Amino acid sequence: MKIEVLYISNCPNRKPAVERVHDALSNAGTSAIIQEVEVGTSADAKAMRFLGSPTVRINGLDVEPEARAARHFGLGCRSYTESGHRSGLPSVALTCECSSGHRPGCHRRGMGLRVCHRR
């Protein structure tokens, strides 16, 4: 499984997003390497189809299904919608559902994760 957290410099939601992915993986009983990818320029944002910071992708797919058809790319903050509310982070349930293919409420097991930083 390939997991990426794309972000811009000084994003206040970067670390909480990575922690939320860890929580979702733990809930799903899944192990994976999380790649943190800094997006530095507008050209990079367009090339990476970056919707804003932080963007969480699992196997190349955005964890927010509604955002997958979006075509507005650029450097800026990102918000996620769930149950009619906006947040700067994807919910654990949304990330868990995408990472496991199951509905929220996954079983909790111990696991080892590594975080990679890439620019």
Side-chain angles (χ1 to χ4, degrees):
M1 176 182 328
K2 180 180 180 181
I3 300 177
E4 299 169 298
V5 176
L6 291 80
Y7 66 93
I8 58 174
S9 178
N10 297 319
C11 174
N13 287 321
R14 172 187 171 195
K15 280 189 167 193
V18 171
E19 290 169 6
R20 208 157 270 189
V21 172
H22 278 283
D23 290 346
L25 289 170
S26 181
N27 288 341
T30 303
S31 175
I33 295 172
I34 301 170
Q35 295 181 336
E36 295 184 48
V37 182
E38 184 173 357
V39 181
T41 68
S42 293
D44 289 341
K46 188 174 182 180
M48 293 181 195
R49 305 176 56 84
F50 180 65
L51 297 174
S53 187
T55 290
V56 178
R57 294 183 187 154
I58 299 177
N59 294 329
L61 294 175
D62 197 288
V63 295
E64 186 177 36
E66 297 80 11
R68 295 176 190 164
R71 299 289 178 256
H72 54 279
F73 310 114
L75 302 176
C77 294
R78 166 93 186 254
S79 64
Y80 294 84
T81 303
E82 186 171 6
S83 302
H85 299 282
R86 306 287 296 162
S87 172
L89 299 169
S91 69
V92 172
L94 186 65
T95 308
C96 180
E97 189 171 330
C98 190
S99 66
S100 69
H102 295 99
R103 295 280 168 205
C106 306
H107 298 289
R108 196 168 192 67
R109 285 189 261 174
M111 55 184 259
L113 293 173
R114 294 188 328 211
V115 177
C116 297
H117 302 278
R118 183 178 78 178
R119 292 186 181 188

